[in-house]
Amino acid sequence: MKEVFDFVEMTIPAKPEYVGVVRLTVSGVANRMGFNYEEIEDVKVALSEACTNAVHHAYQDDEDGEIKIGFGVYEDRLELMVSDSGKSIDLNGIKKKLGPVSTDTPVDHLTEGGLGLFLIDTLMDKVELTSEAGVVVLMTKFLERDEVEDSVDTISAPQQN
């Protein structure tokens, strides 16, 4: 059975001033889907990190580039895709830098390389990367609904002792 979903796509110039537009858009999409405030904030931070990585690392300073952002709106999850056509990254090198951050390490001593991806991986439920032609980051956040059955028509009164 084919899974039904809506897809929203936007293309922005690879410039920092447009990352806020993406944040506002994902906030609206996630809110409409029923994510709570904290989940929306997590999604906004993760998407901002992915877009900021593309802005800073995909293109040369004199190069005009674009970033494509896709929003896959499913019944149970939101899939976000950020892609650029810039230079590819050393994905294996970055993966080696990912991992648990020691709580003993002062924030001042954390390296910038890979920290954004580590943050994305922490905030989202699933993260996939490819870097064959440009970089594509696919992030998934599952919608956790209350454990109430949809078919329940009445609410029972609490029993008194």
Side-chain angles (χ1 to χ4, degrees):
M1 183 172 162
K2 186 176 178 181
E3 191 172 24
V4 178
F5 68 99
D6 292 329
F7 188 75
V8 179
E9 185 177 35
M10 59 190 303
T11 302
I12 61 168
K15 297 179 179 177
E17 57 265 33
Y18 290 97
V19 175
V21 175
V22 176
R23 286 176 54 91
L24 288 173
T25 303
V26 77
S27 178
V29 170
N31 185 47
R32 192 197 67 72
M33 290 179 67
F35 283 100
N36 66 37
Y37 176 79
E38 289 181 12
E39 293 167 331
I40 292 171
E41 290 301 311
D42 288 350
V43 170
K44 286 168 55 178
V45 170
L47 185 58
S48 294
E49 285 294 325
C51 290
T52 301
N53 281 344
V55 166
H56 290 293
H57 303 296
Y59 303 101
Q60 302 293 325
D61 291 340
D62 59 343
E63 192 177 12
D64 291 329
E66 293 181 332
I67 303 169
K68 292 187 186 296
I69 301 99
F71 306 85
V73 180
Y74 293 82
E75 178 73 23
D76 64 341
R77 68 189 181 278
L78 174 61
E79 288 186 351
L80 303 169
M81 180 206 61
V82 176
S83 68
D84 63 63
S85 301
K87 62 183 178 185
S88 296
I89 58 173
D90 176 14
L91 189 56
N92 289 328
I94 289 176
K95 282 182 177 176
K96 288 178 183 173
K97 293 179 184 176
L98 296 178
V101 175
S102 171
T103 56
D104 298 333
T105 305
V107 174
D108 300 357
H109 295 110
L110 295 175
T111 58
E112 183 180 339
L115 191 56
L117 291 175
F118 175 76
L119 187 59
I120 292 169
D121 192 48
T122 302
L123 296 173
M124 300 298 285
D125 296 322
K126 183 178 176 186
V127 179
E128 299 169 78
L129 295 166
T130 64
S131 62
E132 294 174 6
V135 176
V136 177
V137 181
L138 182 62
M139 302 169 281
T140 303
K141 188 74 168 180
F142 288 97
L143 188 58
E144 295 178 19
R145 299 189 190 275
D146 293 337
E147 298 297 326
V148 178
E149 293 181 33
D150 291 337
S151 61
V152 174
D153 294 331
T154 58
I155 299 173
S156 59
Q159 296 181 357
Q160 297 179 358
N161 295 328

